[in-house]
Amino acid sequence: MMQVLAIFIPIIAAILLPFLFKQVRAIHTGWFVLLVPLILLGYYLTFVKQTINGQSVVATMEWIPSLDISFTSYLDGLSILFSILITGIGSLVVLYSIFYLDQTKEQLHNFYIYLLMFMTAMLGVVQSDHVITLYLFWELTSISSFLLIGYWFNRDKSRFGALKSMMITVAGGLMMLGGFVLLSLMGGTFSIRELIVQAPSIVTHDYFVLALVLILLGAFTKSAQFPFYIWLPDAMEAPTPVSAYLHSATMVKAGIYLVARFTPIFALSEVWVWLVAGIGLLTLLWGSLFASKQTDLKGILAFSTVSQLGLIMSLLGVAAMAFHVEDAAGTIFKYAGFAAIFHLINHATFKGSLFMIAGIVDHETGTRDIRKLGGLMSLMPVSFTVALIGSFSMAGLPPFNGFLSKEMFLTGMLSVKEFDLFNFETFGVLFPILAWIASVFTFVYSFYFVFKTFTGKLQAEKLPKKPHEAPIGMLVSPVILASLVVVVFFIPNIVGDLFVKPAVAAIQPFLYDSPDEVDIAVQAWHGFKPEFWMTVGIVAAGLLLFALLPKWQKIYRVIPEWLSLNRLYDFIMNTVLDTAMERFSSLYMTESIRKYLTYMFAAIVSIVIGTLFFKDAFSLSFENVSPIALYDVTLLIVLVIGTLTTLFAKSRITAIIGLGAVGYTVALFFVIFNAPDLALTQLVIETISVALFLMAFYHLPKLGRVEERMRFQVGRALIAFGVGAMVTLLALSAHSQKLVESISGYYKETVYSLAGGGNIVNVILVDYRGFDTLFEITVLAIAGMGIYAMIKLRLSRKEKSNENK
Amino acid sequence: MEIVMAFVCGFLFMAAIYLILSRSLLRIIIGTGLLSHGAHLLILTMGGLGGESPPVLGEGVTDYADPLPQALILTAIVISFGVTAFFLVLAYRAYQELGTDDTTKMKGSEEDD
């Protein structure tokens, strides 16, 4: 119970926060917020001693028991790793934000409420064992991310970025929900653990691939994979602590988490291996190519995040290959899974620190434009050191943790060519090549980021502020992260034992029974193997390209014009969804009541006649038909002539009189069909109606009195004919197929004995079915009152006369 | 007779729909009048036109016309009358306020949107 409640601690704290912000103005609100992730970090660290033995801890809180929906917190190696990342980096980010955001100028309570909301959401995503609550928290991350990106909501770009990220991640989230529903239908359970157990039987199901693709769409949109990465660079409008926390260390890894969590279910599929590894590699390459084009510090980091996420994703794809080979624990395929998790930790440390440095540079110089920056090394020595450590780690240089994971990444990619299933024997050779090219460009943009900012000539006149070193408090978090970068390099196996191995055992449960069986030791030096020579090549090519950067950077100006996916997004949002949809709706929403009536009648006619035709329902029988008398024929002729007169009348008065003639003929029909009450009523009412029509006619304004014959229109005539034909066909077939006897026999027998009346129609109206009559009286009363009100109440005219006064 | 009446009802419906699709308000209301006549006749026809005498108890009569459709039509006549009267006054008020009886000109103003 406590374990589930721990997820909700941040959001509960968020509720209390506005009171603190309003009451305690002297102390920065962030200091109170800092307690929350710190406490949670301590709490989650206590679970580590259980997870390193491969144990998992489950706690459940019922939510909707009748639908089998509950909040289930499931802590195994993978989720404890993410929980510690979230709370640990969360603490550092909150600390950093205390010095980054001004208590007096900013709406801090909003900021921290969104941030705490996000923390709950993220903890929920990584701990949920129930797919529906996982989806719930997933959407909460989208919403809180939307709020945080749009934190400075009076800026256009913030709103645009927030909307874009919302549209893309929510679209993916909905796909993912579809995948979850399919998956739980196939497995008969909502629990991920139980689904993993059932994986071998789910694989053969018809919906398996569909569910797989839908869930991957959710993961790819969230983790900014190709082609959905476009929201991430625009999300850089958020305050820098948010970019550091959400858009480098945590939220964008939710998709990674999802892929890792569902690997035991989907890894048996060829589609999964290809999609995850292929899209990951493509994203890695694409992001690294475009990062050195950026001129905004955070833009470089955004594209580098995209690229690094692609790297982790491709490793997870390769890790799925281990499910397809015999005795995988003894082969080199095992490295990919380990490398993915290890790099995930390393990326969170160095990318977090780099974002914080970008924020510091922005804070102290007033700009993030790399063209205006330079020569800050001597002015900001601490920031420079941290940036250097982070960038070198990102580039994959020793003695930083990025080097270790880069080596393992290369090992993982080299293992692909050993894999002889799913056409990998032909295309597999591309993997190490593309990975190598991407690594070269990673090297280039890492150097570009740090050296263009901190070395070179100081352009003091271009900077809005006079640059100086940041305050100590702001530097604490990046320094902690940077020292982690170095520490992990020297003690990689402690990190491996504590966090990586339990997570790997959770991703590949069929290979390892416990984390101890993951027999991988990270080595800083592994001999003159292919990986070593590849790294040497990366450094050499990277240095060369970096030296020549000003010469070839111009190429970027040509390429992106026609390769930009942002164009496509804008096209879809503005042209397809906005303009084209509006045109489409104005095509049929013409504001003409005749058009709408035409649509309605055409639809009714086609549905009814279509049903008659396709169901073979039409029939015609001459049984039970009463004979035709001479009166009938005479009346029919009068009726038809009256109707035709109404139709083709040149003046309206002829039409009204024609209608009157039809009404009186109908009354005469009632006479010959033995319906005296009807005939009486019809005569009276027709008289009043005609009088009313004449009144309306008399009051016509002069303008409309131009009497012209109705113009004949073919479409209109066709619709009218269709309705007429439909009614006739319906009447004929209904009359020809009577299925049950009328109930009128009962009325005829009991009208005197039970109701004491002789006129059966009247007795039905007031006795058997008196309620009809009651409400028919009500209808008349309402009509009368409505008419009275319409004539008497003339508000608009009164208002007008008041205005004139 | 029922077969013939089916065609008559169809004819009335056709004329009614043709009028309802016209531009003038008055013709539309005339169309609804024809439509209700058609509907009433249709109900009566579908109940069967047999029966020798009106549904009023009398000496020695056994073959009455079906009373139930008649009761239904009586209700329908009154309701359609109420609605028609309301429509007519509505049209009359529309003439007075808008100065036109052409539905294609009744499109509302930009301010109403």
Side-chain angles (χ1 to χ4, degrees), chain A residues 690-750:
Chain A
V690 169
L692 274 169
F693 271 106
L694 289 174
M695 179 211 72
F697 178 80
Y698 179 77
H699 284 281
L700 261 178
K702 286 228 161 81
L703 189 73
R705 218 174 252 173
V706 185
E707 293 183 348
E708 53 172 329
R709 205 178 132 177
M710 271 170 52
R711 270 171 300 165
F712 186 78
Q713 285 155 313
V714 179
R716 206 172 130 195
L718 266 178
I719 295 283
F721 177 77
V723 174
M726 174 190 86
V727 169
T728 305
L729 289 175
L730 264 187
L732 287 176
S733 52
H735 183 258
S736 305
Q737 319 176 58
K738 284 223 164 107
L739 299 176
V740 287
E741 259 315 291
S742 166
I743 56 163
S744 299
Y746 172 76
Y747 294 135
K748 289 173 193 167
E749 282 160 23
T750 60

Side-chain angles (χ1 to χ4, degrees), chain A residues 590-591 594 597-598 601 620 624-628 632 636 639-640 643-644 646-647 652 655 659 662-663 670 673-676 678 681-682 685-686 688-689 692-693 696 699-701 703 708 710-713 716-717 720-721 723-724 727-728 731-732 735 738 742 744 747-748 751-752 757-761 764-765 776 780 783 786-787 790-791 794 797, chain B residues 1-15 17-24 26-27 29-30 33-34 37 40-42 44-57 64-75 77-79 81-86 88-90 92-93 95-97 99-101 103-104 106-107:
Chain A
T590 52
E591 297 186 8
R594 291 166 71 194
L597 283 172
T598 310
F601 288 133
L620 184 58
N624 299 323
V625 174
S626 52
I628 302 171
D632 304 343
L636 277 180
L639 185 79
V640 171
T643 313
L644 286 175
T646 319
L647 261 185
R652 290 175 190 182
L659 178 69
V662 173
F670 288 150
F673 290 147
N674 294 320
L678 288 187
T681 319
Q682 178 69 27
I685 279 183
E686 196 58 36
I688 302 172
S689 297
L692 274 169
F693 271 106
H699 284 281
L700 261 178
L703 189 73
E708 53 172 329
M710 271 170 52
R711 270 171 300 165
F712 186 78
Q713 285 155 313
R716 206 172 130 195
F721 177 77
V723 174
V727 169
T728 305
L732 287 176
H735 183 258
K738 284 223 164 107
S742 166
S744 299
Y747 294 135
K748 289 173 193 167
V751 65
Y752 191 75
N759 185 331
I760 307 177
V761 174
I764 289 176
L765 282 174
E776 155 199 346
L780 266 190
I787 290 167
M790 263 198 295
I791 292 175
R794 308 219 166 151
R797 214 172 259 180
Chain B
M1 190 63 203
E2 281 88 346
I3 307 285
V4 180
M5 285 308 284
F7 281 96
V8 171
C9 293
F11 178 70
L12 280 172
F13 268 82
M14 183 180 79
I17 300 301
Y18 190 78
L19 284 170
I20 285 174
L21 289 176
S22 59
R23 288 163 69 160
S24 152
L26 197 65
R27 281 188 201 281
I29 301 173
I30 289 175
L34 282 182
H37 288 324
H40 299 156
L41 280 181
L42 188 66
L44 197 70
T45 312
M46 290 296 100
L49 296 174
E52 279 176 1
S53 75
V56 179
L57 290 187
Y64 299 111
D66 195 337
L68 191 58
Q70 296 192 11
L72 296 180
I73 294 169
L74 202 58
T75 312
I77 289 176
V78 175
I79 290 176
F81 167 70
V83 175
T84 309
F86 186 83
L88 268 170
V89 177
L90 193 66
Y92 157 69
R93 289 286 295 130
Y95 292 152
Q96 280 193 330
E97 289 290 325
T100 179
D101 72 328
T103 53
T104 56
M106 297 179 182
K107 288 212 173 179

Side-chain angles (χ1 to χ4, degrees), chain A residues 553-571:
Chain A
Q553 210 175 17
K554 290 171 200 144
I555 302 170
Y556 283 123
R557 278 180 227 147
V558 192
I559 306 169
E561 283 304 312
W562 48 273
L563 266 179
S564 170
L565 283 163
N566 288 317
R567 279 283 174 82
L568 183 68
Y569 172 83
D570 290 339
F571 174 76

Side-chain angles (χ1 to χ4, degrees), chain A residues 259-278:
Chain A
V259 169
R261 178 56 85 201
F262 282 90
T263 293
I265 300 177
F266 291 117
L268 289 172
S269 158
E270 178 187 359
V271 185
W272 176 270
V273 177
W274 264 113
L275 274 181
V276 177

